[in-house]
Amino acid sequence: MGNGLRQIGYTTPMKFDLHCHTTASDGALEPRALLQLALERNISHIAITDHDTIAAYDQLEVPPGITVIPGVEFSSQWCRRGIHIVGLNFDPASAAIRQGVARHRKARRERAEKIASRLAKAGVPNPFEGAIAQAGGDHNLGRPHFARHMVACGFVGDESEAFKRYLGNGKVGDIRECWAGPEEVVAWIRAAGGTAVLAHPEKYQLTRTRLTALLTAFRQWGGEGLEVVSGRQLPRVTADLAHWCNRYELRASWGSDFHRPGQPWSDLGNYSTPPANLSTVWQGWFEGC
Ligand code: AMP
Ligand code: FE
Ligand code: FE
Ligand code: ZN
């Protein structure tokens, strides 16, 4: 079946989106609105994977017709590159996850202050206050909040320019030495009973040699999953990632990396067709699947 649909017992169609964001991090929709949209898109299983926070799950009312799987997207770094590790199906009450999230909340706050001071030196007016205004409060600030502020005050034409010139890889506002190392992040997820998934590997722009080194290390740390589809991607990328998944005996995960409506390359539920015949991260999570 196409586009993420799998059939169970020949009757129940299942559609998974295991990577998306809400206002708890840099997404535009409140958790409730996200679940409503997910229902409209016929998603049967969703994981909300906000950056370094599980706040979206606080008092979340789950409407009938959808299964919500605990999720988070932890920031980390490996060989001086920012990488993202998605945690899925963990116990949100576990001390390991709570401590990990708390540690990264503090790291994010300190990082935001550094980013703000560097952007101020580059001439951006009131970057800290501006980012807080964009985030709707002083919580979980990320580079997109700075980018939105820079657009709002006319410092750059759009968010993509903000990343290209100030916030992207190697630019003044790219600070990534603050996160826990990937081995530790994987350990938090596992200690909470969850599955660690390497998110969107194609985004790290690694050479083949470095990608294989990362996958080897990821397995050694206890990582079990690989995101083989992240939003809309070229069939060639999907085929490559399916190959790595098999080669490193990782389980496949997929999702849209949805942040907000109007971005067709990361639209909730509308991701490229995942490869067939891969074992998936959710095998063994539920009865009968
Ligand atoms: P942070 O969590 O502060 O490291 O910011 C990472 C987030 O920034 C990603 O999850 C994306 O939402 C966003 N992002 C990264 N690169 C770009 C880009 N080139 N243009 C727009 N948004 C980006
Ligand atoms: Fe994001
Ligand atoms: Fe990510
Ligand atoms: Zn994401």
Side-chain angles (χ1 to χ4, degrees), residues 93-156:
S94 89
I97 281 290
R98 298 260 155 206
Q99 283 161 14
V101 163
R103 160 135 180 224
H104 274 201
R105 186 188 308 126
K106 187 164 174 281
R108 239 175 215 284
R109 169 73 201 218
E110 288 166 8
R111 172 188 189 241
E113 284 169 11
K114 280 188 203 154
I115 294 174
S117 106
R118 289 189 180 185
L119 291 179
K121 277 194 197 124
V124 177
N126 302 320
F128 199 68
E129 296 72 18
I132 288 172
Q134 294 296 329
D138 182 3
H139 62 85
N140 211 38
L141 292 183
R143 286 176 289 165
H145 302 119
F146 287 98
R148 283 171 214 162
H149 167 65
M150 289 160 82
V151 176
C153 66
F155 195 79
V156 290

Side-chain angles (χ1 to χ4, degrees), residues 85-96:
I85 296 172
V86 162
L88 296 173
N89 200 38
F90 49 80
D91 172 8
S94 89

Side-chain angles (χ1 to χ4, degrees), residues 31-98:
R32 218 148 103 92
L34 182 90
L35 294 187
Q36 278 309 323
L37 183 61
L39 280 170
E40 286 166 28
R41 301 270 165 97
N42 294 318
I43 293 168
S44 61
H45 294 74
I46 190 167
I48 301 172
T49 55
D50 277 307
H51 298 288
D52 301 299
T53 179
I54 53 171
Y57 291 90
D58 291 346
Q59 285 132 29
L60 183 66
E61 281 176 38
V62 178
I66 193 160
T67 301
V68 177
I69 295 153
V72 65
E73 182 176 17
F74 279 119
S75 309
S76 190
Q77 75 274 322
W78 177 79
C79 291
R80 306 181 65 223
R81 287 239 161 224
I83 63 166
H84 287 171
I85 296 172
V86 162
L88 296 173
N89 200 38
F90 49 80
D91 172 8
S94 89
I97 281 290
R98 298 260 155 206

Side-chain angles (χ1 to χ4, degrees), residues 3 41 202-203 228-235 237-238 255-258 263-273:
N3 205 14
R41 301 270 165 97
E202 77 293 350
K203 286 199 184 147
V228 294
V229 171
S230 174
R232 293 269 171 86
Q233 65 189 31
L234 294 171
V237 172
T238 309
S256 56
D257 207 355
F258 173 81
Q263 295 186 317
W265 61 91
S266 56
D267 189 26
L268 195 70
N270 288 328
Y271 43 77
S272 297
T273 303

